């Protein structure tokens, strides 16, 4: 296991922290998830996924005796992950400065909406708020329809979870060299802002305003989705010249090559209008069959149930069956990280919240 021997105390809940620690558990870290004894009430089905391969202890963090035991436990662990608002862990007696005294090499990762400092540090928020403040929704969507409602959590996952994992592993490498721990301040909004990697330089360097449907990748060109005759959609990402030519060849319209190769906004707009009409001439199945035979960066927009059975993801082993304690299995998304020396070993999330109380703390569930 890639992270064998790395021990993590996970105080986080909901999505960003648990997803990050699940990734670390998938890679072999020992993760102990700390939750309230009542956390099992109204449990989400997603918890079976997010808590897989983790141990579970359920305690009352307002109990001073429990806090004392957790402080002692910190001396044996490498990393603490927490997702409370700034100041909460300090009030519980579990802040970084306090725990650093128990373990000077501790890596302490705080994941919050707006960071540990600044005017928003005490405000509540959700993914839609973080992405909106980060400017992403300001130039996404359509001119007439406004910002899009995205089906995944951009700031929570790409912002909070993935940046937390990168930061934690970088801190582990630094500690290996120096012996020093550190406090990591992961703001989901900061990290979402950093995802403006392609668009931001256009404004920061060139002063160009970022507007909806005015850039190559946000609707200002033919890069986008096109409706088929039967109401399905195909995604067209044919940006480079060779893919533009392949696109024209596949749709049988070599006469449109001068338009698609010009890169002038007026020509691209005209080509987009042609493409809109052309895609409506055939059904989704017909277009899927046509583009399966050519490399033009054109792929179907799949319903999720189609994604689950798609040959690409079956070949990549992106879905796994996890055996639960009662002998039944549950299908889950697999760890996406592939290695020639490593293969994840999954265990089901504990069906009993606090299952490892006795083993880790010597305490029954209260």
């Amino acid at each position: 296991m890639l992270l064998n021997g790395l021990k993590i105390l996970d105080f986080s809940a909901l999505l960003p922290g648990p997803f990050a620690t699940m990734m670390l558990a998938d890679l072999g870290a020992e993760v102990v998830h700390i939750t309230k004894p009542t956390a099992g009430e109204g449990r989400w089905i997603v918890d079976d996924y997010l808590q897989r391969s983790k141990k579970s202890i359920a305690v009352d963090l307002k109990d001073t005796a429990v806090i004392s035991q957790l402080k002692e436990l910190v001396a044996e662990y490498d990393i603490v992950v927490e997702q409370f608002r700034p100041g909460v862990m300090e009030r519980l007696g579990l802040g970084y400065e306090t725990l650093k005294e128990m373990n000077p090499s501790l890596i302490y990762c705080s994941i919050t909406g707006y960071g540990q400092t600044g005017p928003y540090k005490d405000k509540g928020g959700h993914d839609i708020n973080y992405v909106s403040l980060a400017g992403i929704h300001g130039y996404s969507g359509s001119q007439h329809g406004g910002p899009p409602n995205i089906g995944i959590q951009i700031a929570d996952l790409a912002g909070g979870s993935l940046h937390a994992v990168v930061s934690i592993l970088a801190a582990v490498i630094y500690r290996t060299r120096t012996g020093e721990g550190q406090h990591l301040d992961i703001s989901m909004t900061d990290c979402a802002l950093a995802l403006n990697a392609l668009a931001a330089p256009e404004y920061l360097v060139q002063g160009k305003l970022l507007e909806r449907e005015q850039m190559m990748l946000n609707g200002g060109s033919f890069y986008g989705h096109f409706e088929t005759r039967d109401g399905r959609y195909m995604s067209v990402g044919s940006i480079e010249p060779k893919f533009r030519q392949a696109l024209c060849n596949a749709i049988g319209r070599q006469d449109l090559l001068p338009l698609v190769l010009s890169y002038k906004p007026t020509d691209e707009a005209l080509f987009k209008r042609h493409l809109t009409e052309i895609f409506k001439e055939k059904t989704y199945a017909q277009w899927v069959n046509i583009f399966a035979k050519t490399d033009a960066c054109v792929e179907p927009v799949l319903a999720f149930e189609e994604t689950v059975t798609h040959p690409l993801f079956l070949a990549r082993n992106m879905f796994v069956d996890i055996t639960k304690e009662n002998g039944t299995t549950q299908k889950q998304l697999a760890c996406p990280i592939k290695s020639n020396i490593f293969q994840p070993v999954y265990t089901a999330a504990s069906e009993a919240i606090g299952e490892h109380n006795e083993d880790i703390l010597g305490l029954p569930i209260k």
Side-chain angles (χ1 to χ4, degrees), residues 43-301:
R43 182 169 171 170
W44 294 4
I45 185 66
V46 73
D47 288 335
D48 288 339
Y49 169 52
L50 295 175
Q51 303 307 334
R52 75 176 175 208
S53 301
K54 302 177 187 179
K55 295 179 180 179
S56 170
I57 59 176
V59 293
D60 179 2
L61 292 179
K62 295 181 180 179
D63 185 329
T64 55
V66 168
I67 296 299
S68 296
Q69 283 192 292
L70 290 175
K71 286 179 179 178
E72 293 177 12
L73 198 61
V74 164
E76 306 171 18
Y77 279 75
D78 302 282
I79 298 159
V80 164
V81 176
E82 63 94 6
Q83 198 180 304
F84 294 105
R85 291 195 195 188
V88 172
M89 287 289 274
E90 283 77 7
R91 290 195 293 273
L92 292 172
L94 296 170
Y96 172 65
E97 294 299 331
T98 299
L99 297 189
K100 185 173 69 170
E101 295 178 6
M102 315 299 300
N103 183 352
S105 65
L106 181 69
I107 295 168
Y108 190 105
C109 181
S110 297
I111 304 173
T112 57
Y114 301 113
Q116 299 294 304
T117 61
Y120 274 41
K121 68 183 182 68
D122 295 320
K123 290 190 72 171
H126 282 293
D127 189 87
I128 193 171
N129 309 123
Y130 312 144
V131 173
S132 295
L133 286 173
I136 295 171
H137 277 173
Y139 61 90
S140 301
S142 65
Q143 291 179 353
H144 301 296
N149 290 313
I150 305 296
I152 65 166
Q153 290 67 46
I154 296 173
D156 286 2
L157 298 177
S161 304
L162 298 187
H163 283 80
V165 169
V166 170
S167 301
I168 287 169
L169 296 181
V172 169
I173 294 171
Y174 181 79
R175 185 179 62 188
T176 301
R177 293 201 310 262
T178 68
E180 293 182 57
Q182 58 187 284
H183 185 189
L184 300 167
D185 174 6
I186 304 298
S187 156
M188 288 180 266
T189 307
D190 287 356
C191 295
L193 177 61
L195 298 177
N196 290 287
L198 285 180
E202 294 197 31
Y203 175 73
L204 295 175
V205 179
Q206 299 177 336
K208 179 181 177 182
L209 295 179
L210 307 181
E211 300 178 276
R212 295 187 181 100
E213 297 186 286
Q214 297 299 307
M215 299 147 64
M216 177 181 285
L217 303 182
N218 79 342
S221 70
F222 64 88
Y223 180 100
H225 303 97
F226 294 86
E227 189 176 3
T228 64
R229 192 172 74 195
D230 51 349
R232 296 289 302 268
Y233 287 87
M234 300 292 292
S235 65
V236 176
S238 314
I239 298 176
E240 294 85 354
K242 68 175 183 178
F243 295 131
R244 291 175 178 234
Q245 294 181 52
L247 171 61
C248 287
N249 291 336
I251 64 176
R253 293 295 301 271
Q254 289 80 1
D255 60 303
L256 296 177
L257 276 173
L259 286 179
V260 78
L261 293 175
S262 78
Y263 290 94
K264 293 179 181 178
T266 53
D267 287 342
E268 288 211 337
L270 180 55
F271 180 73
K272 184 176 182 178
R273 289 198 292 272
H274 281 299
L275 209 56
T276 299
E277 296 170 359
I278 290 166
F279 269 99
K280 287 185 176 180
E281 293 174 358
K282 289 182 172 60
T283 66
Y284 172 84
Q286 288 173 315
W287 285 122
V288 168
N289 184 55
I290 289 170
F291 284 103
K293 301 171 185 175
T294 186
D295 190 14
C297 293
V298 178
E299 296 293 344
V301 175

